Amino acid sequence: MKFRYLYQLLLSHTSVLIIAFMILGLLFSQYVENLVYENKVTELRSYGEKILSDLERPSPRRPLYLEEYSNLLHARNIDVITFNRQGEVSFSRGGGYPRIELSKEEWQKIERGETVPLKKDFGRFDQAVSLVIMPRIINDQLAGGLILISPISGSREMLSEINRYLLYIVLLSLAISLLISLFLSKLHVKRIQRIRDATSRVSSGHYDVRVPSSNFDEIGDLAEDFNEMVTKLQASKEEIDSLENRRRQFMADVSHELRTPLTTIRGVIEGIRNDMIPEEQKEKSFGLVSEETRRLIRLVNENLDYEKIRSNQVAITKVTLPLLDIFEVIKEQLDLQAEEKGNEIRVVADSGATVHADYDRLIQILINITKNSIQFTSGGTITLRGSSTGSESIIEIEDTGIGMDPEEIQSIWRRFYKADLSRTNNPYGEFGIGLSIVKQLVLMHEGTIDVFSEKGKGTKFVIRLPL
């Protein structure tokens, strides 16, 4: 059986409020009652001290003091009684109290000269009273005592009135508190319900949902955390979808790349086995099989190299190298390939320009980019430029080839982006993986690489490596 959160909040708030009001009401009522009776006793004590003081003062009117005080205090509903050492009443208004019964403990206090205050007394007189018993000392001897008595009926009526108004205040406050509690509980439940509904949508695969958030309370923080979680889930889903699409594309591209050389190898083998290839053509066929086999090995090696670099399994050792010497190595290795397409490789670098990089990996970066420029340039120029400042080295590889559209630039870093071109017009074994490796190697050197290209006018790669 479910117990709704709204009712739980109302029950808890109501319980706390009722208990709090009951405790506060009882404490307040008790405090007021004690205060009233304490004030009454204090009042009686002050009258008693005044009467005893006047009785000890020599005056021809002294025998009349008790009568006068009795008449005066009677108007205030206070009776005055005096008694002797034996407890017999020596004075009372109208003789209403023939004898006073004091307990043994009270007598002991009177004999020690102590005043005995009683806030409430119910059994000694015919009504509930507050009283004060004060000793009367003459010549350091106990001569009797004085009692001032005041009925507590008036105080009770006043306390009842106070308690009644207190009850009204408590009920009114409880009603207002319940209304406020109901409003706040509904507000909080509504906010929680919004998060619950949003969670249900997220569980159904809808990651575009958002809930209102604030920094007012923990529920607002929860909503903010929920929105952040959904944003991350949406990003993760997009990344997963992207990876899945890339995986499928990768498998399709790899399959396509493998199919062409494997088909060639199979055809040659079938032709030799069925004696369909003349003897004078067999040597050429073996050369074709060897070339396609090397092409397959290069494809596998480039993929393995890319995965090692991407997963940080390749260690680099940086040293300071002269840029001019590096460019000469690149020119020497690729001059023949450039000449086959009618291109010229030029080197432009300051004699003092240096670069801080791993030698083998830097050569790999520059060869990949320069090969890419040779591939897409015919009868043009590939220029290698280099310079260094106090904080970085700048390497530029610029060609006068066919160039690219701006929307193509961001795609060149993907593996197999140039697979179609490599299958139809690439004698150097490029499979569209080289530039992906270049990007990863530059990042491993904590550098940056940018591409600037214009269709029909050429392309320029700019590499910046920190010194």
Side-chain angles (χ1 to χ4, degrees):
M1 178 180 178
K2 289 185 177 180
F3 190 31
R4 295 185 61 185
Y5 184 57
L6 173 63
Y7 299 147
Q8 294 181 38
L9 287 177
L10 287 176
L11 180 61
S12 62
H13 292 174
T14 304
S15 301
V16 170
L17 290 172
I18 291 176
I19 293 173
F21 281 133
M22 287 180 62
I23 294 174
L24 290 175
L26 290 174
L27 291 176
F28 182 77
S29 177
Q30 187 68 26
Y31 171 76
V32 171
E33 184 177 355
N34 288 335
L35 181 63
V36 169
Y37 290 130
E38 186 69 33
N39 289 337
K40 176 59 68 174
V41 169
T42 301
E43 180 186 16
L44 296 177
R45 185 196 295 266
S46 64
Y47 286 141
E49 291 174 353
K50 178 64 175 175
I51 293 173
L52 291 176
S53 175
D54 287 344
L55 290 177
E56 298 302 321
R57 187 176 60 185
S59 173
R61 293 181 53 81
R62 187 168 61 180
L64 300 177
Y65 280 164
L66 284 176
E67 189 70 29
E68 292 175 352
Y69 274 116
S70 178
N71 293 333
L72 179 63
L73 294 178
H74 184 72
R76 301 179 61 86
N77 205 21
I78 298 175
D79 289 339
V80 179
I81 302 173
T82 59
F83 58 91
N84 57 23
R85 186 177 178 83
Q86 288 74 35
E88 297 174 350
V89 174
S90 56
F91 174 83
S92 67
R93 181 181 176 83
Y97 304 96
R99 184 174 178 82
I100 297 299
E101 298 292 338
L102 301 181
S103 66
K104 182 178 181 180
E105 183 181 358
E106 291 171 346
W107 271 114
Q108 289 175 351
K109 289 182 178 180
I110 292 298
E111 289 174 351
R112 291 195 300 266
E114 299 177 8
T115 299
V116 180
L118 294 176
K119 296 179 182 178
K120 290 182 284 187
D121 187 280
F122 298 98
R124 193 172 310 184
F125 303 97
D126 56 356
Q127 59 179 332
V129 298
S130 295
L131 60 90
V132 172
I133 306 173
M134 305 179 70
R136 184 179 182 187
I137 307 298
I138 299 177
N139 297 327
D140 297 330
Q141 296 292 327
L142 179 64
L146 176 70
I147 301 177
L148 287 92
I149 304 171
S150 177
I152 63 175
S153 57
S155 300
R156 280 187 169 181
E157 293 174 358
M158 180 180 65
L159 290 174
S160 298
E161 190 73 14
I162 292 175
N163 289 334
R164 184 165 60 253
Y165 283 112
L166 178 62
L167 178 61
Y168 294 155
I169 293 173
V170 167
L171 293 177
L172 179 61
S173 302
L174 183 61
I176 295 174
S177 301
L178 284 176
L179 291 176
I180 296 175
S181 176
L182 179 61
F183 171 75
L184 294 177
S185 299
K186 284 188 174 182
L187 177 63
H188 293 327
V189 169
K190 184 178 180 181
R191 296 168 68 191
I192 294 174
Q193 185 63 40
R194 280 201 298 260
I195 298 177
R196 180 185 176 188
D197 295 339
T199 305
S200 298
R201 292 195 62 191
V202 170
S203 65
S204 302
H206 299 87
Y207 299 110
D208 57 344
V209 63
R210 293 294 182 274
V211 294
S213 62
S214 67
N215 56 0
F216 179 72
D217 56 10
E218 287 80 358
I219 298 180
D221 294 338
L222 175 62
E224 187 173 351
D225 293 341
F226 176 85
N227 291 335
E228 184 177 352
M229 178 196 70
V230 172
T231 301
K232 292 181 179 179
L233 286 175
Q234 187 173 13
S236 298
K237 183 177 182 298
E238 293 173 354
E239 179 67 17
I240 291 171
D241 293 341
S242 175
L243 289 174
E244 179 62 20
N245 291 333
R246 288 166 59 185
R247 185 191 67 82
R248 292 175 180 173
Q249 185 64 39
F250 172 77
M251 294 302 297
D253 292 337
V254 169
S255 300
H256 205 101
E257 290 295 335
L258 292 175
R259 183 171 59 188
T260 300
L262 288 175
T263 300
T264 301
I265 294 172
R266 179 185 176 184
V268 171
I269 292 175
E270 290 289 336
I272 294 175
R273 187 176 64 179
N274 297 325
D275 294 327
M276 297 175 62
I277 299 177
E279 190 69 30
E280 63 273 12
Q281 297 289 330
K282 285 185 178 181
E283 187 65 28
K284 182 179 179 181
S285 298
F286 287 139
L288 180 60
V289 170
S290 178
E291 181 65 28
E292 292 299 321
T293 303
R294 285 196 295 270
R295 185 179 178 190
L296 286 175
I297 293 173
R298 283 195 295 269
L299 172 62
V300 173
N301 288 338
E302 285 190 356
N303 272 287
L304 291 175
D305 201 15
Y306 176 82
E307 290 301 328
K308 287 181 180 179
I309 294 172
R310 192 176 65 87
S311 58
N312 293 324
Q313 296 180 15
V314 175
I316 61 173
T317 302
K318 294 183 181 181
V319 294
T320 301
L321 305 166
L323 272 175
L324 191 57
D325 292 350
I326 297 294
F327 288 166
E328 291 296 340
V329 171
I330 303 300
K331 177 176 171 60
E332 182 178 347
Q333 290 191 20
L334 299 180
D335 254 345
L336 182 59
Q337 295 180 8
E339 289 175 1
E340 290 179 359
K341 296 197 68 175
N343 296 324
E344 178 187 1
I345 298 179
R346 295 179 181 176
V347 173
V348 180
D350 299 334
S351 58
T354 59
V355 61
H356 191 62
D358 183 287
Y359 176 81
D360 293 331
R361 296 303 176 182
L362 181 59
I363 293 295
Q364 186 178 5
I365 291 171
L366 298 181
I367 284 181
N368 271 290
I369 297 177
T370 307
K371 277 187 175 183
N372 188 80
S373 296
I374 293 172
Q375 178 183 349
F376 297 104
T377 304
S378 297
T381 303
I382 293 94
T383 305
L384 305 179
R385 296 190 188 91
S387 62
S388 60
T389 64
S391 59
E392 65 180 2
S393 299
I394 303 174
I395 300 173
E396 298 180 1
I397 300 96
E398 185 174 6
D399 63 60
T400 57
I402 61 176
M404 293 180 288
D405 291 327
E407 57 270 13
E408 291 182 279
I409 293 178
Q410 294 302 320
S411 301
I412 63 176
W413 308 115
R414 299 204 319 260
R415 281 194 289 181
F416 298 104
Y417 176 70
K418 298 176 182 176
D420 292 335
L421 294 176
S422 66
R423 286 193 295 270
T424 58
N425 186 25
N426 185 8
Y428 309 116
E430 295 292 338
F431 297 93
I433 303 177
L435 291 182
S436 299
I437 295 175
V438 166
K439 182 69 174 286
Q440 295 297 326
L441 288 175
V442 171
L443 293 177
M444 288 180 67
H445 281 79
E446 300 177 353
T448 61
I449 181 168
D450 298 301
V451 184
F452 305 92
S453 184
E454 187 175 349
K455 198 73 171 178
K457 293 186 178 181
T459 302
K460 181 169 68 173
F461 289 81
V462 180
I463 303 172
R464 298 177 182 270
L465 300 177
L467 279 172

